[in-house]
Amino acid sequence: MSNQELSLKNIEDNMYFFNKGKHYHAYRFLGAHKMASSSQDGYRFTTWAPQAKSVAIEGDFNQWQPQALERVGETGAWTTVIKEASEWDLYKFVIEGRDGLVKEKQDPFAFASEVPPKTASVIQNPTSYSWNDEKWLQTRRQQNIYQSPINIYEVHQSSWQRHADGRAYSFDDLRKELIPYVKKMGYTHIEFMPLTEHPLEASWGYQVSGYYSIAGRYGHDFDPLKRFVDAAHQAGIGVIMDWVPGHFVINDDAMANFDGGPTFEYSDPRRAKNIRWGTLNFDLGKNQVQSFLISNAVYWLEEFHFDGLRVDAVSNMLYLDYDDGDWTPNIYGNNVNLEGVDFIRRLNKEIFLRDPSYLMIAEESTAWPGVTQSIDQGGLGFNFKWNMGWMNDTLKFFKLDPLSRSYNYRLITFTFMYMFDENFILPFSHDEVVHGKESLLGKMPGDNRYRQFANLRLMEGYRMVYPGKN
């Protein structure tokens, strides 16, 4: 769909599918889009705020004086065209909510954002990047991923390397240094921790405020990230991104109570509030939220050529009692989040209909059965599961003094009970080396580095022969 088609009628037509939970390219009409028609310059701004009493927009283009948006029928959408708007202008929506309060809000569909602690959205035009990775994509689609090696290198973009003056590496810097390093070390894939906009650096990106925006601290432009993925593919390296569809940042200037009441989050405060992480849980049973999230997964996979997504905190979407605090059983009297299960299955079905060679990896920390089983057979439909249990037991065992290990072999043997139940990835991920937990080498017993390195080599050798991917 071209921007030229963003008329009121077309917005109304698109909102029909968005409201049904069946629009998987919602980013093409919601947000800020350049008017391509020669008879109409500027940008069309459209947002979904069904409970709002009024919506306006303010930005660089109108000296931050709010201009009203028009309600699009009964669709819940609001829209207007600002002829004076230009690429890279800053803007915010001004929403008078159902609670009567007027708040400035970021655009949930913005393609770029200011660097925190600033909070404005940034107009950015989608680029027509010329990809050179067709050979990689053809090879990926011809491979059997269950028989092919997978060895993943996890990266936190802003801390992998830094310049002498303290600046984090850009994507172009990483393209020149990270890809050759990963190739030399024998990895097959790079996994980025979340690259989407997040206000708190200490969250490592797992408390998202802008799902369609590359974090401003990593640079505003699309092309550097696309160049990185393109170069990795040409070097024979796949690229995966961590994706957080279960919960979002609670900040008042973002999606929380977007139109003066629960919009993206559950209406039940007990289900909406994520006590453990200080965030808000998406209402996964709401059609519009499903359109928002599945469109977002499609956006990163199709527009940026990522090879897959590591879906974070799947357990939080599966269980009603996963978090702390009160909870209410479902209609069957148990703790299963039926809407969450339905969403996960719809997500995986839609992604694999587009390309069966994508990697959809569940970071799921419980014994939920059938995580990587097909949907037709009652499973969740992922093709791999992050094996947290194996990681935790293995690290506990190898941290022990060798003299104590013979009394603790259950840490090793217990995993044999379920080692073939799922298609597992065996991670030693960031979760186990943060908050003073030490590096993998630092966890190893021994009174000198020689013994610690010997133990680390033994542990990595054990991982190499254990069933699963790395």
Side-chain angles (χ1 to χ4, degrees):
M1 182 184 71
S2 71
N3 292 334
Q4 200 167 356
E5 296 173 324
L6 289 179
S7 64
L8 284 175
K9 177 64 169 64
N10 274 285
I11 290 172
E12 193 165 4
D13 291 343
N14 278 282
M15 283 302 300
Y16 172 82
F17 292 101
F18 183 82
N19 287 328
K20 290 287 187 181
K22 297 180 179 179
H23 203 307
Y24 305 135
H25 290 103
Y27 57 90
R28 292 182 179 175
F29 79 98
L30 286 163
H33 294 277
K34 186 174 178 60
M35 300 300 296
S37 171
S38 58
S39 63
Q40 198 162 25
D41 298 325
Y43 285 78
R44 180 177 286 282
F45 297 87
T46 308
T47 193
W48 174 63
Q51 304 171 100
K53 294 181 178 179
S54 67
V55 178
I57 190 165
E58 61 183 10
D60 292 337
F61 39 76
N62 60 10
Q63 292 73 54
W64 294 90
Q65 300 301 309
Q67 292 179 238
L69 273 68
E70 175 184 355
R71 191 192 298 267
V72 185
E74 300 300 318
T75 65
W78 300 74
T79 190
T80 193
V81 174
I82 303 290
K83 293 183 178 181
E84 296 77 17
S86 302
E87 188 173 21
W88 308 119
D89 279 352
L90 306 179
Y91 70 99
K92 289 185 178 182
F93 290 115
V94 182
I95 298 178
E96 180 186 6
R98 74 173 192 183
D99 54 9
L101 298 177
V102 178
K103 295 182 179 180
E104 295 178 330
K105 290 287 190 175
Q106 301 172 42
D107 181 356
F109 285 87
F111 293 137
S113 307
E114 279 191 296
V115 179
K118 296 180 180 180
T119 59
S121 299
V122 181
I123 297 175
Q124 185 177 183
N125 298 332
T127 56
S128 55
Y129 182 83
S130 297
W131 291 91
N132 297 290
D133 61 349
E134 186 57 38
K135 182 177 179 182
W136 163 267
L137 296 177
Q138 288 178 354
T139 301
R140 189 188 76 189
R141 289 163 183 157
Q142 292 169 357
Q143 283 182 334
N144 183 326
I145 59 170
Y146 305 109
Q147 297 178 359
S148 302
I150 295 178
N151 190 17
I152 299 171
Y153 185 73
E154 185 181 58
V155 176
H156 181 227
Q157 198 275 357
S158 60
S159 64
W160 182 75
Q161 287 278 16
R162 287 187 175 269
H163 293 285
D165 61 2
R167 289 180 297 113
Y169 271 27
S170 67
F171 288 114
D172 284 330
D173 294 328
L174 292 175
R175 175 168 51 86
K176 296 171 185 175
E177 297 198 27
L178 175 59
I179 293 172
Y181 173 79
V182 166
K183 187 76 173 176
K184 178 182 177 182
M185 296 298 290
Y187 292 95
T188 63
H189 290 75
I190 294 167
E191 173 222 336
F192 277 115
M193 293 163 69
L195 299 174
T196 44
E197 187 59 76
H198 53 282
L200 181 64
E201 179 74 5
S203 77
W204 312 311
Y206 291 98
Q207 295 189 2
V208 181
S209 58
Y211 276 80
Y212 290 85
S213 173
I214 299 170
R217 55 177 67 84
Y218 303 155
H220 286 130
D221 201 354
F222 295 110
D223 284 355
L225 177 54
K226 291 182 178 180
R227 283 195 294 268
F228 178 91
V229 175
D230 201 1
H233 286 172
Q234 291 177 59
I237 303 294
V239 187
I240 304 163
M241 186 178 75
D242 281 15
W243 185 57
V244 192
H247 60 107
F248 58 94
V249 74
I250 202 168
N251 294 31
D252 201 41
D253 53 74
M255 293 189 295
N257 289 302
F258 186 70
D259 55 8
T263 311
F264 292 93
E265 64 269 45
Y266 288 103
S267 57
D268 181 346
R270 293 173 301 175
R271 297 188 69 181
K273 189 172 183 180
N274 192 307
I275 298 171
R276 183 179 304 181
W277 295 318
T279 54
L280 290 171
N281 293 318
F282 277 107
D283 182 349
L284 299 174
K286 186 178 287 187
N287 288 339
Q288 297 88 343
V289 171
Q290 294 196 6
S291 289
F292 175 85
L293 288 173
I294 297 176
S295 289
N296 189 244
V298 170
Y299 173 72
W300 293 108
L301 292 171
E302 292 189 348
E303 302 295 332
F304 290 86
H305 284 208
F306 281 106
D307 297 282
L309 299 172
R310 174 191 174 273
V311 182
D312 184 65
V314 170
S315 303
N316 182 59
M317 296 186 281
L318 293 176
Y319 297 100
L320 296 169
D321 61 345
Y322 183 74
D323 192 25
D324 302 325
D326 295 333
W327 63 282
T328 301
N330 63 29
I331 58 174
Y332 302 110
N334 61 45
N335 66 342
V336 174
N337 183 352
L338 301 175
E339 299 98 327
V341 173
D342 177 66
F343 164 73
I344 289 169
R345 287 172 173 162
R346 287 189 64 184
L347 166 71
N348 286 326
K349 181 178 181 180
E350 182 61 32
I351 295 305
F352 289 126
L353 280 173
R354 292 170 180 277
D355 190 335
S357 70
Y358 283 132
L359 295 173
M360 292 296 287
I361 304 167
E363 192 265 311
E364 203 285 304
S365 56
T366 74
W368 184 281
V371 172
T372 59
Q373 194 172 29
S374 72
I375 296 168
D376 293 340
Q377 295 176 317
L380 295 180
F382 291 97
N383 47 16
F384 285 99
K385 175 180 175 176
W386 215 248
N387 196 339
M388 305 291 283
W390 175 89
M391 177 180 73
N392 293 327
D393 287 351
T394 299
L395 289 175
K396 285 178 185 177
F397 180 81
F398 278 92
K399 285 173 70 174
L400 295 171
D401 185 285
L403 295 176
S404 302
R405 289 176 182 170
S406 61
Y407 304 101
N408 292 276
Y409 279 130
R410 186 176 182 277
L411 291 171
I412 293 294
T413 60
F414 178 72
T415 64
F416 297 171
M417 299 287 291
Y418 63 85
M419 64 198 303
F420 296 113
D421 288 355
E422 305 278 3
N423 302 319
F424 285 120
I425 287 177
L426 312 175
F428 290 139
S429 61
H430 70 275
D431 306 86
E432 295 304 317
V433 294
V434 295
H435 302 312
K437 294 181 182 179
E438 297 188 294
S439 65
L440 290 180
L441 180 65
K443 294 177 188 293
M444 296 298 107
D447 53 9
N448 60 54
R449 287 300 193 204
Y450 176 81
R451 292 180 178 177
Q452 286 183 305
F453 272 115
N455 272 285
L456 184 57
R457 286 194 297 270
L458 176 62
M459 185 176 74
E460 287 289 3
Y462 167 65
R463 177 163 70 153
M464 292 285 287
V465 299
Y466 192 96
K469 309 296 185 182
N470 296 318

